[in-house]
Amino acid sequence: MIIKTTPIGSKHGAGVISYAMNKEEALLVKMQHLQYTSFGPPNDHSVFEQMNLHQKLSGKKCKEPFFRIEACPPPDKTGEWTMEDWQKLCDDTLNELAEQGIDLRDSQLICYLHRDSGKLHLHIIASRIDMDGKLINSWQCKNKSIAAANAIAKAHGWSLAAEVKSPERKTEIRNEAMEVLAGMEKFDIKDFFAEMRARGYIIQDRWSKGKCVGYSIGKEDGVLFKSSQLTGRDLMPSRIEETWKKLHVTPKVLYTYNTDYDGHIPFSIPKVLDDVIQEEIEVPDELYDDSDLDCDEDWDAELADRPRVARGAAAILVGLMLPDGSDGAAVGGGGGGVQGELSRWDGLPAERQDDYIDWARRAAHEANEYYHPKKVRKRWGWNR
C-alpha cells in the first residue's frame, strides 16, 4: 500500500483536477463540500473555481493551497473490488492521514478512481483550507503519508510501504533490466518494455511525438519506480540506448610488438591496423639470380622478414600519431600497452579511423623502404 501526499500551487492544482476528472475511464468515488448542478456533479473548471473562491474568502495566504494525494493498493488484492470498496479505501486514507495530523475530512475535495493503467489507484485533490478557514499543515507530509499507508496495510495484511520501497527492490529491477538489455541483439525500447512485462513487471510508459519521454516500473504489489529513481539513472529513456551499446561493445583486440626500429619500445595497435600493415608489406619471395646483375643484399626468407617489417611499420605508425613524432616513446614503456588514441580505436569516429588506416599504409611503405632499400644493379660494360 502506497500513499503519496504533495502540496501544490493553484496553477498545478487546476491541472491535476482536470487530469483526475477527465482521464479516460475515470470514475467518481467521492466529492466533498462542493456544489452540484441540476445536471449532476460539477466539471473540473467549476471544482477549481469553488475551491479557489473559498481559499480567497478565507483570507489565508498560501503558495501551495492544494494537496495532491495518490492512494495505490496492491493490484493483486483489488481484482474483485466494488465501488463501495474503493469508497471505503478513500475514507480510510482520509482517516489515517487525519490521525497523522493531515485532517482533510472537513475540506473541499474530489476523489477519482483511475483504471487506465496496469494497476487501479485513487487520485484525491483537496483544498488545504478547510471549511472553518483553518490551513492544514504540510510539515512532514511524506513521512505522515507513509505512516498512514502502513496503518491501512497492517489492517488488511498487505506489504508495508517501507518494505516495497527498499533499495534492494531497486537493485533487483535494475539487474533484471540489464540482463534483458544484454540479451537484445538490437535496441528497441518497445522490445525492452515487452520483455520486462513478460517477466512480470508493470510498466507505465509516457510518449510524446512518437518518442518515449519517461516510464515507471514495478512489480505486481503496485509500487512503481520512475526510471530516474533506479540506481545509476542509466535506464532513463535518454540514456538507456547508450547503456545497451556499452553492454555490446566489441572487446578490443590489440597486437603487441617489441620493435627493433629505433629502440625497443613495447606498444600495441588494434588488429584492424595490424591487418592493413601486413597487407602492405612487400617481401621478396625469391632471390635474384639474374646473371647480369649483382644483389648487394642477401634477402631473408619471407617468413623471417615479415615480422621485422611489421614491427618497424607499427613503430612508425605510433610515431605518426604522436605530436612529437617520438615513435611511441610517450605511448608505451615498461611492458605496457598503448595509452594514446590508438587504444581507443572502437570509440573513434569513422573519419578518424580512416586517417589511421591511411597512416598504417604509409607506415608499411616506409618500413619496406627502411628494411628493403632499392637494389643497386651493376652491369658490365659501358654505363656502369
Side-chain angles (χ1 to χ4, degrees):
M1 176 68 189
I2 295 294
I3 297 176
K4 297 180 182 178
T5 304
T6 309
I8 57 176
S10 293
K11 186 175 181 180
H12 191 178
V16 295
I17 288 173
S18 177
Y19 173 78
M21 298 179 66
N22 299 324
K23 185 70 172 179
E24 184 179 359
E25 299 186 10
L27 294 177
L28 175 62
V29 175
K30 186 182 184 70
M31 192 169 282
Q32 182 172 280
H33 296 306
L34 294 167
Q35 296 295 321
Y36 278 60
T37 69
S38 57
F39 301 101
N43 60 24
D44 57 331
H45 178 73
S46 176
V47 168
F48 173 75
E49 289 299 330
Q50 289 185 54
M51 290 185 181
N52 191 40
L53 177 61
H54 175 72
Q55 291 164 358
K56 290 181 178 179
L57 292 176
S58 71
K60 296 288 194 304
K61 293 183 179 180
C62 180
K63 290 184 179 180
E64 297 173 322
F66 293 90
F67 272 126
R68 182 189 69 197
I69 303 170
E70 298 172 29
C72 309
D76 59 329
K77 308 296 184 181
T78 61
E80 302 297 327
W81 275 24
T82 64
M83 179 53 68
E84 287 74 19
D85 294 319
W86 288 106
Q87 290 170 342
K88 184 179 185 305
L89 178 64
C90 176
D91 292 338
D92 289 346
T93 299
L94 295 175
N95 291 333
E96 292 299 336
L97 285 174
E99 289 292 325
Q100 299 299 324
I102 304 177
D103 193 351
L104 301 171
R105 292 173 296 186
D106 194 30
S107 291
Q108 294 170 309
L109 63 81
I110 60 169
C111 176
Y112 273 78
L113 171 64
H114 281 192
R115 305 178 296 167
D116 58 302
S117 64
K119 59 181 177 52
L120 281 67
H121 55 282
L122 296 178
H123 284 269
I124 303 173
I125 297 89
S127 173
R128 284 183 60 193
I129 300 175
D130 66 15
M131 300 310 292
D132 294 329
K134 177 184 176 181
L135 177 64
I136 310 302
N137 197 329
S138 63
W139 183 73
Q140 289 286 320
C141 63
K142 179 179 178 180
N143 292 334
K144 291 176 180 178
S145 298
I146 293 174
N150 285 339
I152 296 174
K154 287 180 180 179
H156 290 81
W158 299 338
S159 299
L160 303 183
E163 295 172 350
V164 296
K165 278 290 187 181
S166 64
E168 290 77 11
R169 176 66 64 86
K170 295 181 181 180
T171 301
E172 176 189 347
I173 295 173
R174 185 178 188 278
N175 289 343
E176 284 214 53
M178 288 297 186
E179 185 178 325
V180 168
L181 289 175
M184 295 173 61
E185 293 185 1
K186 64 177 181 178
F187 179 76
D188 188 318
I189 196 165
K190 292 182 179 179
D191 292 341
F192 169 71
F193 289 158
E195 180 60 29
M196 292 299 289
R197 288 185 175 115
R199 294 184 176 216
Y201 284 94
I202 297 171
I203 294 180
Q204 293 181 352
D205 45 330
R206 302 183 299 281
W207 297 78
S208 176
K209 298 179 180 179
K211 182 178 181 181
C212 182
V213 295
Y215 68 92
S216 299
I217 183 171
K219 282 285 191 178
E220 64 279 354
D221 52 22
V223 181
L224 301 185
F225 298 93
K226 294 180 180 178
S227 58
S228 58
Q229 295 176 320
L230 299 176
T231 308
R233 298 170 65 89
D234 52 1
L235 295 174
M236 297 169 59
S238 59
R239 302 182 183 180
I240 189 169
E241 184 171 4
E242 189 63 30
T243 302
W244 174 84
K245 290 180 180 178
K246 290 179 180 179
L247 293 173
H248 291 78
V249 170
T250 303
K252 299 172 187 175
V253 180
L254 299 177
Y255 277 43
T256 302
Y257 296 93
N258 192 4
T259 180
D260 57 0
Y261 178 87
D262 194 19
H264 297 272
I265 306 167
F267 56 86
S268 302
I269 64 171
K271 183 178 185 304
V272 63
L273 296 181
D274 177 74
D275 290 342
V276 171
I277 288 175
Q278 298 291 348
E279 292 171 3
E280 296 294 322
I281 293 175
E282 299 175 1
V283 180
D285 56 3
E286 62 181 0
L287 298 177
Y288 286 90
D289 59 357
D290 204 334
S291 59
D292 63 347
L293 59 87
D294 280 337
C295 294
D296 285 351
E297 243 180 292
D298 183 16
W299 295 100
D300 295 333
E302 180 175 350
L303 292 178
D305 203 41
R306 181 173 289 275
R308 181 176 64 165
V309 180
R311 288 196 299 269
I316 295 172
L317 174 60
V318 175
L320 288 172
M321 66 162 283
L322 295 173
D324 59 0
S326 57
D327 288 347
V331 181
V338 170
Q339 305 299 319
E341 288 184 83
L342 287 179
S343 66
R344 300 191 298 270
W345 171 267
D346 291 335
L348 291 173
E351 59 272 15
R352 292 293 291 154
Q353 292 188 355
D354 290 342
D355 287 342
Y356 282 137
I357 288 174
D358 290 340
W359 292 354
R361 292 193 178 101
R362 174 182 162 190
H365 176 74
E366 292 185 9
N368 276 312
E369 292 295 319
Y370 180 84
Y371 287 106
H372 303 150
K374 292 182 180 179
K375 301 185 175 85
V376 178
R377 298 194 174 200
K378 299 180 180 178
R379 292 185 178 276
W380 298 104
W382 300 105
N383 299 324
R384 290 190 288 178

